[in-house]
Amino acid sequence: AYATTLNWAGYGIDGSSFVDSFSVSAQSAVPQEVAFNTDGTKMFILGSSSNFVYEYTLSTGFDVSTATYSQSFSIAGQETEALGLAFNPSGTKMFICGNTGRDVNEYTLSTGYDVSTASFVDSFSVASQDTSPSGIAFNSDGTKMFIAGNTGRDINEYTLSTGYDVSTSSFVDSFSVASQALYVTGVEFNSDGTQMFFTDATKIYKYTLTTGFDVSTASYSNKSFSFGAQETSGSGFAFNSDGTKMFISGYSGDAVYEYNVGTSLALGTGSFASADVGKT
């Protein structure tokens, strides 16, 4: 036998199934985006109508049924129609984009993933590429930034000469997704950037990239998943760290919806173990 292991690989969105939901209506009537810390014990909701980032604790990581509200942070001084939210891996930086400023606002957090310690740093305008930036994502080291443009129905790619420092951003390229959707409300990638996902109001779409985190190499995979049975105004989404769980935020139900994502077997490293027996 080959000296390797068989590992479950996530991000098979077309095999997703609904698990549970969690209402955020007590904090935000228009939840625009959802994000998590690395182990899923903290969840963050971007409220567009209130201009706050809301923080929740989860007693079981990535299980929204265990979420409880913790605290919030106002972003009204920078953006009054916020649409996109992202963190760096350590949670010491937070990024928000929106319709009012048509820019990306950068914040530092003196304690990782604690929004009460956030302070505004700088902003970077994306208005030349899109007048309604609706989602934001980064590659693993923050040297690439991606903005979902709702006006142009495209994904805009930027390089950052200093990772996670938006003041060092410069535009590179864009990729149109107009043939799949009328709206673009968020963008995410798998860990190596060879898979890209975006949402519209009721669906999530999957693209493959022959070069990781290079949108010019993207092509539609003909894989999609409809979450319209739960939410008809999807506004943001996130995956857990291995792509086996997916979360959709939406303002029809003012909730976060949790899904199990389809998996497939992928070759790993090392040697076969007893746990690999019976995998098909």
Side-chain angles (χ1 to χ4, degrees), residues 80-159:
T80 56
E81 196 177 347
L83 300 176
L85 169 69
F87 291 86
N88 69 341
S90 64
T92 55
K93 285 202 172 185
M94 179 174 71
F95 304 88
I96 290 171
C97 62
N99 271 346
T100 304
R102 300 171 181 176
D103 55 10
V104 179
N105 297 288
E106 177 185 328
Y107 302 80
T108 58
L109 289 77
S110 56
T111 301
Y113 295 109
D114 181 346
V115 297
S116 70
T117 70
S119 58
F120 175 65
V121 176
D122 205 350
S123 63
F124 173 76
S125 175
V126 296
S128 296
Q129 285 75 53
D130 203 278
T131 56
S132 181
S134 56
I136 182 171
F138 291 87
N139 67 344
S140 55
D141 63 2
T143 56
K144 284 200 172 185
M145 178 175 70
F146 303 87
I147 298 295
N150 195 39
T151 302
R153 289 188 284 166
D154 53 13
I155 309 299
N156 298 285
E157 178 185 328
Y158 302 80
T159 58

Side-chain angles (χ1 to χ4, degrees), residues 21 26 32 39 60 68 78-80 110-111 125 139 146 151 176 187 196-197 203 218 235 251 266-267 277:
S21 65
Q32 283 291 344
D39 65 2
T60 301
T68 56
Q78 290 76 49
E79 179 60 57
T80 56
S110 56
T111 301
S125 175
N139 67 344
F146 303 87
T151 302
S176 174
V187 60
M196 180 176 73
F197 307 84
K203 272 189 176 183
S235 52
Y251 52 86
L267 294 177
V277 176

Side-chain angles (χ1 to χ4, degrees), residues 7-24:
N7 300 323
W8 293 111
Y11 299 101
I13 59 167
D14 52 321
S16 299
S17 58
F18 175 64
V19 176
D20 206 349
S21 65
F22 175 77
S23 175
V24 296

